[in-house]
Amino acid sequence: MPEAARLVRLDEADAKNPALAGAKASRLAKARALGLPVLNGLVVPTEVSLPAIRAGAVALGAADNSGAARTVVYNHRPPRLLSQLPRAAQALGDSLVVRSSSRAEAEGVWAGAFSSYLGTSPEEAAVGVIGCWASVFNPDTLRRARFVGIRPTEIGMAVLIQPELPTVCGGVATLGEDGQVTIAGMTGHHAPLVAGWESGHVAVASGDGSVQAPEDSPLSTDLIRRVAHLARRTHQKVGCPHIEWAWGEDGEVYLLQAQRGAGTPTTHLRQEAPRVAGKADSGLSDMVRTMLRYPGPVGERLVWPWAIGLDDLPPVRSAPTTKSPATLIPEIRGNAALLTSRRWQGADVPEAAARAWAKLLRGDASANREWLSRPSTVDLGLANTHLDSLGELATALVQAGEIPHSGWMWYLDPDSLDMPRVRRESFSRRVGAGRWEHLIYSVVASLGHTLSGHPAAAGWGVGRLRYISTAEEAVSFAPREVIVADQPLGNLAPLLWDAAGIITAEGSPGAHLFEVARWLGVPAVCGVDIRGGDREHWAPGEDPTMAVDGNRGRIALL
């Protein structure tokens, strides 16, 4: 590290240090030194941003207001170093790109989280730098920081300044394990594509030189091969299989950004979707519907043992209550035990249930058909009371500030429902795929209506569909639901943390949102409009269930 803060040229050895220059700039510095086509630039180091970001963090801690924190950053006295920026930046040209290069951006979960400024003059460059610092306190960025478990002052915000390249077209490219390079691009600057506003055009270049692209694609075969060659060289030299590229008006294909792959997903979603052998048992669809209507550990423990096989039970609705969780939880546990006992009256419940559930978990429904064929002795009045109590519990937990929405109740630890501290810990953890998800996926994929789009993030998942177009709809999102949106916009990124999948009607695999999905192991498909002509496949009065296969770009609606 230099003894005093200074502007660092991209060709200097210090620029290769991610602690000083951040992830983006340090990778580009290494790539440029190794002969890859990277534009020149300069870096405002991470340490220069710290006083302003610390001041913003103090304001955030005092008021819990991201707007106030951003204002403090803008109003903080600019460091003397920024006064040198206009003159230094003039050497790069009259029109510049100013963008974040934080240490945190070594991981894909931060894709699109921070600000970038295009067409900035050298005199305005300092304002762009401060804008990048202030973006540490964007609401979306703060939510990502909470999920990852770091404070704003630990993000390490450096800023990279480069010439703005006059481009013919640009986009992203990803080298797969099979040697294929998937390229997404559009004419002009590709910023709308990575932001999720434009779908662009997708092409695939195989290792043998063959190219697959739509006939109307503006990306020529020669350009596709050149971009694929750049992607392979970048992976070989700096270990980054995902790049942003641009074809300049000078005829050169430039490397604008290099990103590591998603690595090991932070959830236990399987990469390959479960294979569906033949048509699923139609009786399993009723079980699956019950499992998804009353999901998670709470549903499995307190509803499934008596409700599986009953088709006339209502969904749980959050209801006004004056009761506390401490009052409701003993009632719920007692009623669940009573309902289970009455449902299987005269049966060897523990052993029979254990055998049936174990077989079902392996996809064998034979024991359940025999078990569930017994006449039901459930008191439906008590069942409705029990479900109402669960709705009241959800309301009480929301009122107490322990969960953000009633749907989160299902994913608490049923053994610790009466322990407030453990309840809060259950909410704060990430909700991954449950042990029944492979069975549910297989049934939905087998019996559901299939649609195809573009693969955007590998993996598989299944859950109730949640269409999101407004902030209010985002608030109602619950864990293990499948997000459906018109476009892959960056403000959806925090919801991916607990999503079973994401589907968009528009956009391309090159959107930053899908980069976040790949890092989190959340399957994604783009280019599928399920709100149009296929709506007749939705079950009346019921949110449809969706299985997502991100590897093949397929979804199934049940």
Side-chain angles (χ1 to χ4, degrees), residues 242-265:
H242 181 75
I243 67 170
E244 287 188 24
W245 59 273
W247 182 26
E249 292 180 354
D250 60 359
E252 178 69 81
V253 176
Y254 289 91
L255 176 66
L256 302 184
Q257 188 177 161
Q259 182 71 32
R260 292 189 321 202
T264 303

Side-chain angles (χ1 to χ4, degrees), residues 211-234:
V211 169
Q212 302 173 43
E215 292 183 1
D216 61 346
S217 174
L219 309 180
S220 68
T221 299
D222 177 66
L223 176 61
I224 292 168
R225 287 175 176 153
R226 291 174 65 188
V227 173
H229 179 63
L230 177 60
R232 293 189 176 98
R233 287 181 65 204
T234 303

Side-chain angles (χ1 to χ4, degrees), residues 130-145:
I130 296 171
C132 290
W133 297 350
S135 67
V136 169
F137 298 99
N138 289 340
D140 169 31
T141 307
L142 292 173
R143 286 193 290 269
R144 299 194 206 194

Side-chain angles (χ1 to χ4, degrees), residues 474-535:
V475 169
S476 65
F477 170 78
R480 306 313 297 165
E481 291 184 329
V482 175
I483 299 169
V484 176
D486 293 331
Q487 294 165 313
L489 304 183
N491 57 8
L492 294 171
L495 300 182
L496 293 179
W497 193 258
D498 289 303
I502 180 167
I503 307 298
T504 64
E506 302 175 20
S508 82
H512 281 319
L513 182 69
F514 296 134
E515 189 175 340
V516 178
R518 288 189 288 271
W519 189 84
L520 292 173
V522 175
V525 178
C526 61
V528 183
D529 185 4
I530 67 167
R531 301 183 75 233
D534 292 294
R535 190 159 188 161

Side-chain angles (χ1 to χ4, degrees), residues 29-116:
K30 293 173 185 176
R32 182 174 166 87
L34 291 169
L36 292 171
V38 175
L39 294 168
N40 195 10
L42 57 88
V43 180
V44 180
T46 57
E47 62 183 291
V48 181
S49 67
L50 271 177
I53 292 176
R54 284 172 179 157
V58 171
L60 183 69
D64 192 24
N65 185 316
S66 65
R70 292 196 301 274
T71 299
V72 166
V73 174
Y74 278 112
N75 290 340
H76 194 270
R77 184 176 180 178
R80 181 180 300 176
L81 182 67
L82 293 192
S83 64
Q84 304 172 20
L85 194 54
R87 184 174 180 179
Q90 283 178 353
L92 299 175
D94 297 329
S95 184
L96 308 173
V97 175
V98 180
R99 55 191 174 122
S100 66
S101 176
S102 70
R103 291 195 300 263
E105 287 171 283
E107 303 293 353
V109 71
W110 297 99
F114 305 109
S115 295
S116 295

